[in-house]
Amino acid sequence: MKDPVIVVTRKWPEPVEHELRRRFPSVQLNQDDTPLGRDGLSHALQHADVVLPTVSDHMPAELFEGRLRTRFLGSYGVGYSNIDVDAVVRAGVVLTNTPGVLTDATADTAMTLLLMAARRAGEGERQLRAGAWEGWRPTHMMGAEVTGKTLGILGLGRIGAAVARRAHFGFGMPVVYYDAAETVPDHGVPGATRLDTVNEVLEAADFVSLHMPGGGGNRHVIGAAQLATMKPSAFLVNSARGDIVDQYALVDALRRGTIAGAGLDVYEDEPAVPRELREMENVVLLPHLGSATLQTRTAMGRLVLENLEAFLDGRRPPCRVA
Ligand code: DGY
């Protein structure tokens, strides 16, 4: 393909937009960063050879019906539960993602949530900014100790393992985990104990961090019954995908004290966040910042480009998922 028509659905960091413009002079960038929405995405799939969407572009099956011009979908992100993969395959479109380059940034975000939730950092900052802090006293805003407590990981892929390493080496935390895959690669997590079920992890852990993909069978893996299995002193951290957790069951569990607290970076219907969660003190809420560093977001863009160039050269893209 000589001069492919390329649509980029959202604004990318400047270094990678520069690279895109240099290599593909007629690339259509989204300078004002307005989401394309259903109609814009449909138009792009019908008129562009290449579409480069992000994890916030919802691409259900109906978008891939009928005659499409697009042959390559280079998703800017590791998770792709926002895209109907079966429909992509039926339409004969190649789909790629960006694993690996965002592992550390996302693991750092999970640890941020864990620490903030345990030590009531959001609540403390809100109190101080509101001018309501009355000074040091022995019983002021006591949180939960992190060092030495048990971390439960659901999904020991790259990111889950990076969180486990941080917890093990940095905070002396024993790690237990569940992974649906029969064997998990050795990610250098010394002494992590594999348990047979999600519930065993939930029962054993003081902190539970979610790292499985969203969508499909992982929808609402954490619901009322699972939350009831956790210790009342435990915390849930979700930096993976919002739909893994039934967020109204979580609201209920946080209200009733079924668990002590939570730290969330992702939500079922982003960017909507239930008012109940926004009004609670025992939950830390971030706006899907998992991979949000300039270094990582630039690396993600470069990997999209690497995938695209392989496709255009007739090679197998390194991160092809469909
Ligand atoms: C991803 O890549 O899947 C992340 O959620 C975006 O940071």
Side-chain angles (χ1 to χ4, degrees):
M1 218 178 285
K2 193 127 183 24
D3 190 12
V5 176
I6 301 177
V7 169
V8 183
T9 67
R10 298 301 298 263
K11 186 159 179 45
W12 284 14
E14 183 42 41
V16 267
E17 286 208 335
H18 177 79
E19 198 89 335
L20 268 172
R21 274 193 299 266
R22 194 177 64 73
R23 294 189 196 179
F24 305 102
S26 51
V27 64
Q28 295 169 30
L29 299 173
N30 184 347
Q31 288 307 331
D32 63 6
D33 207 12
T34 308
L36 297 190
R38 198 205 164 285
D39 291 349
L41 290 169
S42 175
H43 186 270
L45 290 169
Q46 282 163 35
H47 296 92
D49 302 300
V50 168
V51 177
L52 306 181
T54 71
V55 299
S56 55
D57 292 311
H58 295 287
M59 305 189 84
E62 64 260 27
L63 279 186
F64 298 95
E65 283 159 13
R67 237 180 61 77
L68 303 184
R69 175 165 171 177
T70 296
R71 303 268 52 94
F72 179 84
L73 207 53
S75 188
Y76 180 106
V78 67
Y80 47 89
S81 55
N82 54 311
I83 300 172
D84 191 310
V85 176
D86 291 340
V88 168
V89 172
R90 279 196 302 275
V93 176
V94 170
L95 171 65
T96 62
N97 70 342
T98 63
V101 291
L102 43 67
T103 301
D104 286 323
T106 309
D108 291 349
T109 300
M111 290 307 294
T112 302
L113 288 168
L114 188 156
L115 291 164
M116 283 183 74
R119 300 302 303 274
R120 303 172 65 175
E123 192 183 346
E125 209 209 14
R126 283 188 290 279
Q127 183 184 72
L128 185 146
R129 284 180 188 270
W133 181 38
E134 291 172 351
W136 193 94
R137 60 197 159 87
T139 58
H140 180 225
M141 221 173 261
M142 294 179 293
E145 198 85 14
V146 171
T147 298
K149 296 294 166 61
T150 298
L151 173 66
I153 301 267
L154 297 182
L156 200 76
R158 294 183 187 85
I159 299 171
V163 172
R165 288 194 299 274
R166 282 157 173 73
H168 172 84
F169 291 111
F171 296 89
M173 299 174 83
V175 176
V176 294
Y177 72 93
Y178 170 80
D179 195 294
E182 230 160 73
T183 51
V184 292
D186 177 9
H187 288 294
V189 188
T193 306
R194 182 173 188 144
L195 300 179
D196 290 335
T197 62
V198 166
N199 275 7
E200 284 176 65
V201 172
L202 297 176
E203 274 166 25
D206 299 299
F207 296 90
V208 173
S209 194
L210 307 179
H211 298 289
M212 61 255 266
N218 287 344
R219 183 169 186 276
H220 290 188
V221 161
I222 303 296
Q226 291 70 31
L227 290 160
T229 312
M230 292 172 66
K231 300 178 188 180
S233 55
F235 293 81
L236 179 73
V237 171
N238 189 6
S239 59
R241 279 297 178 267
D243 64 350
I244 299 170
V245 178
D246 175 344
Q247 44 188 40
Y248 287 96
L250 177 62
V251 165
D252 198 49
L254 290 167
R255 269 200 188 131
R256 291 173 190 269
T258 308
I259 64 171
L264 308 176
D265 188 41
V266 287
Y267 308 90
E268 282 200 73
D269 184 24
E270 295 179 11
V273 178
R275 184 180 45 79
E276 292 87 339
L277 284 175
R278 285 185 279 118
E279 287 175 354
M280 279 177 180
E281 287 292 8
N282 56 345
V283 56
V284 174
L285 304 171
L286 294 181
H288 204 148
L289 293 180
S291 60
T293 70
L294 176 60
Q295 179 181 317
T296 290
R297 291 279 166 90
T298 301
M300 289 164 72
R302 293 222 164 95
L303 196 45
V304 176
L305 273 176
E306 218 178 300
N307 285 319
L308 172 58
E309 287 192 332
F311 173 78
L312 294 174
D313 289 352
R315 290 179 283 117
R316 184 183 168 84
C319 316
R320 180 170 178 171
V321 292

